[in-house]
Amino acid sequence: MRLVNDQVTVRVPATSANLGPGYDSYGLALSMYNEVSMRATTGSTRVQVRGVGAGELPDGEDNLIVRALRAGLDYLDVSQVGVDMVTTNRIPQGAGLGSSAAAIVAGLSIARGLVGPEAMPDQTVFQLATELEGHPDNVAPAVFGGATFAWITTEAPKSNGTAEQVARVVRVEPPETIKPTVLVPPYSLATREAREALPRTVAHPDAAFNVGRAGLLALVMAGAADTRYLFEATADKLHQDARAECMPASHALVTFLREQGLPAVISGAGPTVLILGELSAQQQEDAAASGWRVHRLDVCNQGTSIEARRKS
């Protein structure tokens, strides 16, 4: 296989995982984007980071986008190239809005753009991104857009006796009346730290509670149940309380907002708070006065977009 383009620009949405009860499975694409432009060269790798992470993120081969691009080209059995890249980041780092998933999907999508979309369909990008990220909840909405319900299944062993871990996804477009709001605090939290806070076992009643709420949330997101059930559908007993000590301000804010009847949850591993609805002007002012950045967003139904061309 060979390169058919040498200039690629991709736009990848922010994502929110879990959505309350759908731990490590549910995800939502949001209208906040990182944009990456890459030109294939014969020289060394150079990454210019603008916006979030400027002066902090790696500017060479260690950059996660470049690493994912390399993995994509290896998968396609294409010779590696020099990289001249500019990335404009708007997705906060370490905030629970899928910044690492966005970087991985961006790199793989650039590889796809260099060789043509038929060589790497959406499912392949999703599979490779899941393998690189380790779980599918954020990469699924980043690739496909909308609301996604993703999981990993083990296929039957092949003739050589090895079983394959395959990422699967169901995608829906949520009702247009769902207008997400995210509240980003003035601090970050490593996903690893948030995961380490989780208990190794959960109580059967709590598991049963989440199964019921997750099922209800899937129906609401698919438009098969009324959005008035969003508050109940976003309730969780598996992971958010267990992470309270890691992000006390975020947990307290979720508790406060839910006491006001709002469907608020921790976004992914946190510490961002996601509300599947709009805040009043006063609530927005109060949050901003407390140091939270308020973003009124839409659901991104497109997922990652790719523009590729050959320099004339």
Side-chain angles (χ1 to χ4, degrees):
M1 195 169 294
R2 63 184 181 85
L3 302 185
V4 298
N5 298 300
D6 57 14
Q7 296 188 20
V8 181
T9 298
V10 300
R11 188 177 78 155
V12 188
T15 54
S16 181
N18 303 332
L19 310 183
Y23 180 72
D24 265 9
S25 177
Y26 288 17
L28 186 68
L30 303 169
S31 61
M32 175 188 291
Y33 305 94
N34 285 356
E35 297 177 1
V36 184
S37 295
M38 177 268 187
R39 181 172 63 90
T41 72
T42 57
S44 59
T45 293
R46 183 181 67 172
V47 180
Q48 180 181 354
V49 180
R50 299 174 178 171
V52 177
E56 300 174 359
L57 294 174
D59 59 2
E61 289 292 332
D62 287 342
N63 187 282
L64 184 54
I65 302 173
V66 177
R67 286 155 48 198
L69 166 61
R70 300 295 185 207
L73 293 178
D74 283 344
Y75 172 84
L76 294 165
D77 196 24
V78 176
S79 298
Q80 297 290 342
V81 297
V83 173
D84 186 1
M85 180 182 293
V86 177
T87 173
T88 302
N89 294 340
R90 300 178 182 88
I91 304 172
Q93 300 279 319
L97 288 170
S99 61
S100 64
I104 290 169
V105 171
L108 293 172
S109 297
I110 290 171
R112 180 185 189 183
L114 290 172
V115 300
E118 66 282 350
M120 188 184 282
D122 285 345
Q123 176 59 37
T124 301
V125 174
F126 173 49
Q127 177 69 36
L128 294 174
T130 298
E131 293 172 3
L132 291 171
E133 177 79 339
H135 39 89
D137 49 358
N138 283 106
V139 296
V143 173
F144 297 101
T148 55
F149 313 95
W151 67 98
I152 298 174
T153 187
T154 303
E155 290 197 342
K158 299 180 179 179
S159 57
N160 61 5
T162 60
E164 186 177 8
Q165 300 291 305
V166 180
R168 300 293 189 200
V169 62
V170 172
R171 173 195 178 277
V172 300
E173 293 191 6
E176 294 182 358
T177 53
I178 296 179
K179 299 291 185 181
T181 301
V182 295
L183 303 178
V184 183
Y187 65 92
S188 61
L189 177 68
T191 299
R192 174 185 51 79
E193 182 180 349
R195 285 186 172 273
E196 289 176 351
L198 297 177
R200 300 188 65 179
T201 61
V202 297
H204 188 278
D206 291 344
F209 178 94
N210 269 52
V211 168
R213 296 307 193 276
L216 178 59
L217 181 56
L219 292 173
V220 173
M221 287 296 185
D226 197 283
T227 54
R228 71 175 183 272
Y229 296 118
L230 267 176
F231 178 80
E232 292 175 275
T234 51
D236 161 72
K237 289 190 176 182
L238 288 188
H239 63 99
Q240 294 185 144
D241 288 346
R243 290 168 163 169
E245 291 187 6
C246 293
M247 52 187 111
S250 299
H251 186 270
L253 181 57
V254 167
T255 300
F256 172 78
L257 292 172
R258 292 191 70 85
E259 288 174 349
Q260 310 306 307
L262 291 168
V265 298
I266 297 294
S267 180
T272 291
V273 172
L274 168 74
I275 304 99
L276 292 177
E278 298 184 77
L279 298 179
S280 68
Q282 185 61 56
Q283 289 170 326
Q284 293 181 55
E285 290 178 10
D286 291 344
S290 299
W292 296 76
R293 284 172 288 159
V294 182
H295 299 275
R296 298 176 62 186
L297 304 172
D298 293 312
V299 175
C300 169
N301 285 315
Q302 182 181 11
T304 296
S305 62
I306 306 172
E307 295 182 7
R309 65 186 179 92
R310 176 164 288 280
K311 184 178 180 181
S312 57

